[in-house]
Amino acid sequence: MIDKIRTADRRRVGVLTSVGDRWRALPKWQQAIGLAACVAFLYYLPLLGIPGLTWLRTDSIAGGNNWAGVLFICAIYVLVAIGLNVVVGLAGLLDLGYIGFFAVGAYSVALFGSTNSPVVKWIQQEFDLPKTWAVTWAICLLLAIVLTMIFGVLLGWPTLRLRGDYLAIVTLGFGEIIRIVARNATGLTNGPQGISAIPGPEGPPSAQNEIFGLIDAKPWYWLAITVVLLMVFAVRRLERSRVGRAWLAVREDEDAAAVMGVYPFKFKLWAFAIGAALGGLSGFLFASRNAFIDPTQFNANLSILFVAMVVVGGSGNMIGVSLGAVLLAYLPERFREIADYRWLAFGLAMVLVMILRPQGLIPSRRRARELKDRAAEAEEAPAHV
């Protein structure tokens, strides 16, 4: 039995490494064509009509949500997973309160961009501005990124000296604090009533919006997938830079990294700030699309789901966490026909993944090599006995 398990581990790692090796062995022009085809397919997905693939569309299911709307949520979750992967997968920090940054990004556009926001109403009264005045969507985008980075630094500065479970508990508390403040600060956030009329790129939601309306979600998906692709490129470049190598060193052994001249606290703070900015950006897009938010949308269950996306997909691998995010966003909608049992099936599927693929669906190459080395050591151990 043990030999069979070892053989299965070796085969699993071998398949992953062979696919990656074959891709890297291709000429640059073939890689470029492959990437271009994948990007084109991503933009084509809302119009999916290829025979044999139309069963993937959720709008063909009784009671299913709009297909483009589901794709938009998938894109938002991928952006969240990429940001959380910087914190969990690259820097090795367990963050259970990532929903807090998501909420800060969402409330940034709601508080400063909506004419129904108490903040905007106060500014209108103080500076004698027309009642239709509000901060533009583009400026709110910058505010969301800057504010979430500031919150990431404020949270990380006193807490990043903690490790493991202690850090996880503190971050979980941060996420709950943001939700409770949003619920109780009625003079700032309207409390449980929430904030409506959150603007998009064309301004507040209106029937006159030609592109970014409330009904057709395709333009929103195309906007979200464009942002995702840009962030994938930026994070990939960052991962291959000196900062990314420092994150990996801190993740593997913080004390050894400090001895080699890497200042762990500084790079962990960088990871927290960058991860927070990506979480805020995803929350910003989520609020702009929905045009309404309230505190119930930012609960701890969603924060745990964010962590599950990274763990199921493969911590440290950007493609893996993206796949995990798509599956965890798409599968509950796909199985809406069995609404009474879909969450049970969803939970069982996650348990099976963790049993059969403990490193995730697509683990990072570094983790795959570690798995291969452990299998080799286990084989050699009986020979030394």
Side-chain angles (χ1 to χ4, degrees):
M1 179 62 69
I2 296 176
D3 293 338
K4 291 182 179 179
I5 294 174
R6 291 171 182 167
T7 303
D9 288 340
R10 288 198 304 273
R11 289 176 179 172
R12 183 168 65 235
V13 174
V15 170
L16 291 173
T17 54
S18 63
V19 171
D21 292 339
R22 289 176 183 177
W23 170 258
R24 287 184 292 274
L26 291 175
K28 294 295 183 182
W29 65 271
Q30 292 184 5
Q31 293 183 3
I33 292 175
L35 289 175
C38 291
V39 171
F41 182 73
L42 289 176
Y43 280 95
Y44 171 71
L45 273 177
L47 309 172
L48 185 64
I50 300 175
L53 295 180
T54 53
W55 63 272
L56 292 171
R57 297 178 62 102
T58 55
D59 51 11
S60 63
I61 304 170
N65 286 337
N66 178 272
W67 170 236
V70 173
L71 290 177
F72 173 79
I73 294 298
C74 289
I76 293 298
Y77 278 20
V78 168
L79 188 58
V80 168
I82 291 171
L84 189 56
N85 186 56
V86 172
V87 181
V88 177
L90 299 182
L93 306 172
L94 184 55
D95 186 355
L96 297 182
Y98 201 70
I99 189 65
F101 302 123
F102 188 80
V104 170
Y107 272 100
S108 296
V109 63
L111 292 177
F112 296 99
S114 171
T115 53
N116 293 335
S117 163
V119 174
V120 170
K121 290 180 179 179
W122 178 82
I123 295 175
Q124 291 172 352
Q125 293 176 358
E126 288 293 321
F127 298 95
D128 195 22
L129 296 173
K131 292 185 178 181
T132 57
W133 179 90
V135 179
T136 61
W137 186 81
I139 296 177
C140 288
L141 171 61
L142 297 177
L143 281 174
I145 295 174
V146 171
L147 286 176
T148 48
M149 289 190 74
I150 292 174
F151 271 85
V153 172
L154 291 177
L155 173 64
W157 190 271
T159 61
L160 283 179
R161 291 179 175 83
L162 301 174
R163 299 185 187 182
D165 299 339
Y166 302 102
L167 178 62
I169 292 172
V170 171
T171 54
L172 180 62
F174 166 75
E176 282 297 286
I177 288 172
I178 295 296
R179 182 185 64 83
I180 293 172
V181 169
R183 185 187 63 191
N184 295 333
T186 54
L188 180 66
T189 64
N190 280 344
Q193 296 180 358
I195 300 176
S196 59
I198 299 175
E202 293 183 285
S206 171
Q208 283 72 37
N209 291 351
E210 297 181 358
I211 300 176
F212 294 96
L214 292 176
I215 299 177
D216 187 8
K218 289 192 292 292
W220 286 103
Y221 167 73
W222 287 326
L223 173 64
I225 200 63
T226 301
V227 173
V228 167
L229 293 175
L230 291 174
M231 292 303 104
V232 165
F233 175 78
V235 172
R236 179 66 71 185
R237 297 289 296 176
L238 191 62
E239 183 180 348
R240 295 177 178 176
S241 68
R242 178 175 176 270
V243 175
R245 292 191 294 270
W247 284 339
L248 295 178
V250 171
R251 185 192 71 185
E252 296 302 325
D253 193 325
E254 186 173 329
D255 296 328
V259 171
M260 298 302 294
V262 176
Y263 186 37
F265 179 77
K266 179 180 75 172
F267 288 102
K268 288 195 294 185
L269 197 60
W270 265 108
F272 239 65
I274 293 172
L278 291 174
L281 180 58
S282 57
F284 169 86
L285 293 173
F286 173 81
S288 298
R289 166 69 180 99
N290 285 0
F292 171 81
I293 59 171
D294 66 82
T296 61
Q297 296 173 333
F298 310 104
N299 53 59
N301 292 338
L302 190 57
S303 192
I304 301 302
L305 183 66
F306 289 165
V307 177
M309 294 187 303
V310 175
V311 175
V312 170
S315 178
N317 188 310
M318 197 178 304
I319 297 177
V321 300
S322 300
L323 176 62
V326 170
L327 290 178
L328 267 64
Y330 171 77
L331 289 181
E333 293 299 328
R334 186 64 186 83
F335 294 108
R336 185 173 287 272
E337 290 175 318
I338 51 173
D340 294 337
Y341 303 100
R342 59 176 178 156
W343 287 110
L344 174 61
F346 179 70
L348 289 175
M350 288 188 61
V351 171
L352 289 175
V353 168
M354 288 295 94
I355 293 175
L356 301 176
R357 301 296 298 246
Q359 298 294 328
L361 295 174
I362 308 179
S364 66
R365 284 181 293 167
R366 182 185 296 270
R367 295 184 184 275
R369 286 196 297 268
E370 291 174 357
L371 183 61
K372 185 177 181 179
D373 293 340
R374 285 198 298 268
E377 291 175 359
E379 280 188 349
E380 295 174 358
H384 296 290
V385 176

